Amino acid sequence: MADIGNLTAIELAQKVVSRQLRPTEIIEAYFQKVVQIEPQIDAYLLLLKERALSQAKMIEEKQAKGMPLGRLAGVPVAVKDNIMIEGYPATCASKILEDCRAVYTATVVKRLEEEGAIIIGKTNLDEFAMGSSTENSGFKTTKNPWDISRVPGGSSGGSAAAVAAGLAAAALGSDTGGSIRQPAAFCGVVGFKPTYGFVSRFGLVAFASSLDQIGPMTRTVSDAALLFEVISGHDPMDSTSLSQERMTNEGKTLRIGLPKEYFSAEGADPEVLAAVESAVKIFQKEGARIVDVSLPHTRFALPAYYIIAPSEASANLARFDGIRYGKRRQRGTEAEGQSEESGLITLYKASRTNGFGAEVQRRILIGTFALSHGYYEAYYGRAQEARRKIADDFDEAFRQADFIATPTTPTPAFKIGEKSGDPVAMYLSDIFTIPVNLAGIPAVSIPCGFSKTNLPVGLQILGPRTGDKSVLELAEHFEKMTANEFVKRPAVRVRQGGIGW
Amino acid sequence: MTEDVFERIANLARLGPYPAEDKAKLSKDFGRILELFNVLAEMPPDGEAERRRGGEAERKTVFRDDVVKPFAEKNKIIENFPEKEGPLLKVPKVIE
């Protein structure tokens, strides 16, 4: 039994297909671990044990009848709670959605389940995916399994922590400015953000629609590649979804570009840079050519992102007003006494001001400001221009290099509370991941080392648009070259029943 | 950011009113975030009109076929209604 938790998604499915493991056995083993470890980590907002067990039984019945099983048969997968499963909450970690139940299932979940994956729970996130630490959740703060005094990153912090702590074999996250890759780096797992349009957003609660993309979070790159293959592909329900013509690297000399703007960034931890540089040396030893590239508009990425994403969010979140969606409040704060507004406007404001957390309100205000009369050109217009220049920078860099390697984050996981009072300090933790979303290109974060304090460090590999498969192949190659040296599990103390590791 | 502008934006966003303490904190954060945005003013203008690209790989409008499909989820949506009276769904007055 102890062995089940250490198998990768691919290994689990193989053992199910070859009848060495039963899906119910896998699910039971995972929930046993959840009982022991989840109280210390708080990765989940909802556990779906009954549903998972009944699906496991269905797979066993299919197998008994000799029917074909999918590529993820019996694999326990966790799903970020902004992705919908019919009949269950999709709270987005927001109090405003506490009482809603999803009325349909996201395409990504359908595709996973068609391949035999079993969804075991919905994971915690920063409210509406706005944040970099999971501290902005309306319900609880997830802890980093490597050091529970630290954040798991965000916004897909629950998914990253669940995979790292062995509470799910794999997970789905969503990435608008780094929300898959940054928590993956902080928790020592693999996190992949596909090319914009490669994975359907149907059933993902929208944050910033031109940037959002769903992707896998796993322990190994091969698992990420398999999940990506399963969830990707055209979906008529998402008008931005692309039919895939994937580019692969046709065996030319591999050129890996190092953008100088990233390696000289202010606030980048020397330990992180050292780990990334030694990872790059491993590629070099294998024959890759290392070239310097420049992404000169990098410093405009952060302001552009924090204008574009909140602008889109202010529109996307307008529907949560207590009438169309969300918990209704008749009256708000005490300051309302002297209001001369109509009852309806008061109801809207009260529902929104009580239902949304501080960061969500901050971003709605920023977005409303950037789109408002008199400021639109100076902010939103300029930000779109910066976005184009950043995309052009990447186009140019990918003429000189096949891939770009950078750190995923400037530092390893920070302490809970360290940045929660300072929104700008928090925003800076996504400085290396944001440009990727603005350009719509694919990028993966893979573990590449540890700090002296035993915190994981992530290497980010970027590829040109539609180069997803090549990015994953290169990342997989790194795992092989390093003999899975960095595919490690943190030691999480078990609270009840003595000390287990 | 002046209080007037803040009030106007909050009203447009259908947020607030905020107690003085929250308003002070939000205005302060806002000021710091605007400083961050001002870096964009240093970006040399290139005269080119805003081109719609960036995240969007192939930007074209995609239409689904216009076919009537049965909608099975009606009751599930109704279940999400907070207030009911008999067979009726209760909503606040939304017209003035």
Side-chain angles (χ1 to χ4, degrees):
Chain A
M1 285 288 272
D3 182 35
I4 290 177
N6 274 323
L7 297 173
T8 66
I10 290 174
E11 288 165 347
L12 281 169
Q14 278 165 352
K15 289 208 188 291
V16 167
V17 170
S18 62
R19 294 172 193 264
Q20 293 172 65
L21 277 175
R22 285 178 297 111
T24 47
E25 194 180 356
I26 296 172
I27 297 302
E28 294 283 6
Y30 265 88
F31 275 98
Q32 203 181 333
K33 193 135 186 220
V34 165
V35 168
Q36 293 171 329
I37 289 175
E38 169 65 6
Q40 283 79 264
I41 303 298
D42 280 327
Y44 284 99
L45 289 174
L46 178 70
L47 288 162
L48 299 170
K49 191 174 180 185
E50 292 308 310
R51 187 178 186 272
L53 280 173
S54 85
Q55 291 200 324
K57 282 185 195 122
M58 268 162 57
I59 295 172
E60 287 172 16
E61 281 161 23
K62 264 173 101 174
Q63 193 168 31
K65 287 181 198 150
M67 287 160 77
L69 304 181
R71 287 174 287 173
L72 291 167
V75 175
V77 178
V79 173
K80 191 177 180 179
D81 204 24
N82 59 350
I83 297 172
M84 304 205 290
I85 302 175
E86 189 185 315
Y88 294 92
T91 65
C92 298
S94 181
K95 293 232 157 78
I96 208 164
L97 281 175
E98 215 169 0
D99 304 326
C100 284
R101 296 287 173 277
V103 298
Y104 63 92
T105 297
T107 300
V108 287
V109 172
K110 275 193 188 152
R111 288 186 177 167
L112 287 177
E113 292 188 337
E114 277 160 16
E115 290 291 342
I118 297 172
I119 311 300
I120 58 169
K122 305 290 297 286
T123 53
N124 197 21
L125 63 151
D126 287 295
E127 187 178 0
F128 284 102
M130 296 177 192
S132 312
S133 68
T134 322
E135 290 165 292
N136 295 338
S137 166
F139 302 112
K140 55 185 175 187
T141 296
T142 300
K143 286 89 187 169
N144 190 317
W146 291 91
D147 175 352
I148 56 170
S149 71
R150 290 175 189 272
V151 302
S155 65
S156 313
S159 289
V163 173
L167 304 175
L172 291 183
S174 67
D175 191 315
T176 306
S179 282
I180 288 175
R181 292 158 288 152
Q182 186 256 23
F186 278 11
C187 292
V189 301
V190 175
F192 178 55
K193 188 215 81 91
T195 292
Y196 181 80
F198 267 10
V199 176
S200 166
R201 291 182 292 113
F202 184 66
L204 168 70
V205 180
F207 158 18
S209 313
S210 78
L211 300 159
D212 298 340
Q213 194 64 187
I214 297 171
M217 304 177 80
T218 56
R219 283 181 64 212
T220 65
V221 180
S222 333
D223 279 357
L226 175 58
L227 260 82
F228 170 63
E229 216 174 287
V230 168
I231 62 173
S232 60
H234 180 69
D235 177 11
M237 299 308 283
D238 174 359
S239 67
T240 59
S241 112
L242 300 172
S243 28
Q244 303 204 22
E245 289 153 36
R246 288 184 201 156
M247 283 177 4
T248 47
N249 193 48
E250 296 115 16
K252 7 174 212 195
T253 329
L254 200 63
R255 299 165 304 169
I256 297 177
L258 303 183
K260 58 177 188 221
E261 291 81 3
Y262 284 59
F263 287 87
S264 59
E266 205 182 312
D269 186 319
E271 275 193 280
V272 168
L273 294 178
V276 170
E277 275 156 15
S278 63
V280 169
K281 285 207 180 92
I282 293 173
F283 284 119
Q284 200 169 15
K285 227 163 59 188
E286 290 280 310
R289 199 146 66 78
I290 307 302
V291 294
D292 287 324
V293 294
S294 176
L295 299 164
H297 295 91
T298 298
R299 70 192 189 101
F300 302 119
L302 197 70
Y305 176 83
Y306 277 100
I307 291 170
I308 292 168
S311 294
E312 294 183 21
S314 73
N316 277 330
L317 271 61
R319 75 192 72 158
F320 303 106
D321 59 7
I323 299 281
R324 288 173 290 173
Y325 284 96
K327 194 181 264 180
R328 184 176 305 153
R329 299 275 186 136
Q330 303 293 348
R331 284 177 35 217
T333 54
E334 286 169 22
E336 211 134 291
Q338 60 278 54
S339 167
E340 290 166 16
E341 283 163 344
S342 76
L344 184 61
I345 302 284
T346 306
L347 182 150
Y348 287 153
K349 288 187 176 178
S351 301
R352 290 163 66 76
T353 310
N354 287 293
F356 291 137
E359 180 62 19
V360 172
Q361 293 189 44
R362 195 148 44 217
R363 295 210 197 177
I364 292 173
L365 288 167
I366 295 168
T368 308
F369 172 77
L371 293 176
S372 66
H373 180 70
Y375 301 102
Y376 180 90
E377 264 317 309
Y379 292 99
Y380 189 73
R382 287 298 268 170
Q384 289 291 37
E385 218 177 297
R387 180 177 190 168
R388 178 174 50 73
K389 286 171 195 260
I390 287 157
D392 287 347
D393 280 356
F394 279 114
D395 285 351
E396 182 54 37
F398 284 123
R399 275 192 270 276
Q400 292 153 40
D402 304 298
F403 301 96
I404 291 174
T406 78
T408 307
T409 57
T411 67
F414 45 87
K415 291 266 186 191
I416 291 172
E418 191 180 322
K419 298 184 184 200
S420 52
D422 181 353
V424 174
M426 188 70 89
Y427 297 171
L428 285 166
S429 66
D430 290 331
I431 197 158
F432 295 153
T433 48
I434 277 172
V436 164
N437 299 75
L438 290 171
I441 60 177
V444 68
S445 177
I446 53 172
C448 76
F450 290 88
S451 72
K452 285 192 200 87
T453 48
N454 200 35
L455 295 170
V457 173
L459 165 72
Q460 186 179 221
I461 301 172
L462 290 61
R465 188 173 300 144
T466 72
D468 301 50
K469 221 176 156 185
S470 308
V471 167
L472 289 169
E473 277 164 7
L474 184 68
E476 209 173 338
H477 192 55
F478 179 78
E479 247 176 29
K480 282 200 191 109
M481 287 185 297
T482 54
N484 287 347
E485 186 188 337
F486 306 115
V487 183
K488 281 190 187 158
R489 271 277 153 77
V492 183
R493 192 181 285 264
V494 175
R495 193 182 283 161
Q496 284 109 9
I499 295 178
W501 296 96
Chain B
M1 165 158 301
T2 65
E3 199 168 323
D4 275 5
V5 175
F6 183 83
E7 294 283 348
R8 186 168 72 89
I9 298 300
N11 183 50
L12 285 172
R14 296 287 185 256
L15 288 171
Y18 294 104
E21 198 183 317
D22 291 6
K23 206 194 292 185
K25 166 89 172 91
L26 277 166
S27 297
K28 191 175 142 245
D29 291 348
F30 228 104
R32 291 205 54 210
I33 294 164
L34 287 184
E35 262 171 54
L36 182 79
F37 292 172
N38 288 336
V39 177
L40 285 178
E42 296 166 28
M43 189 177 67
D46 58 7
E48 199 177 346
E50 171 191 327
R51 205 169 6 124
R52 296 178 99 188
R53 64 159 282 191
E56 302 101 316
E58 297 162 9
R59 197 175 233 284
K60 55 175 184 233
T61 307
V62 182
F63 292 107
R64 279 199 296 277
D65 293 337
D66 188 12
V67 206
V68 179
K69 283 187 205 153
F71 184 71
E73 286 91 6
K74 196 174 85 183
N75 287 330
K76 292 197 188 91
I77 292 175
I78 291 171
E79 277 163 29
N80 274 323
F81 254 81
E83 281 181 86
K84 289 180 201 110
E85 206 176 293
L88 304 173
L89 303 171
K90 235 174 143 176
V91 288
K93 189 178 160 196
V94 291
I95 42 169
E96 299 297 314

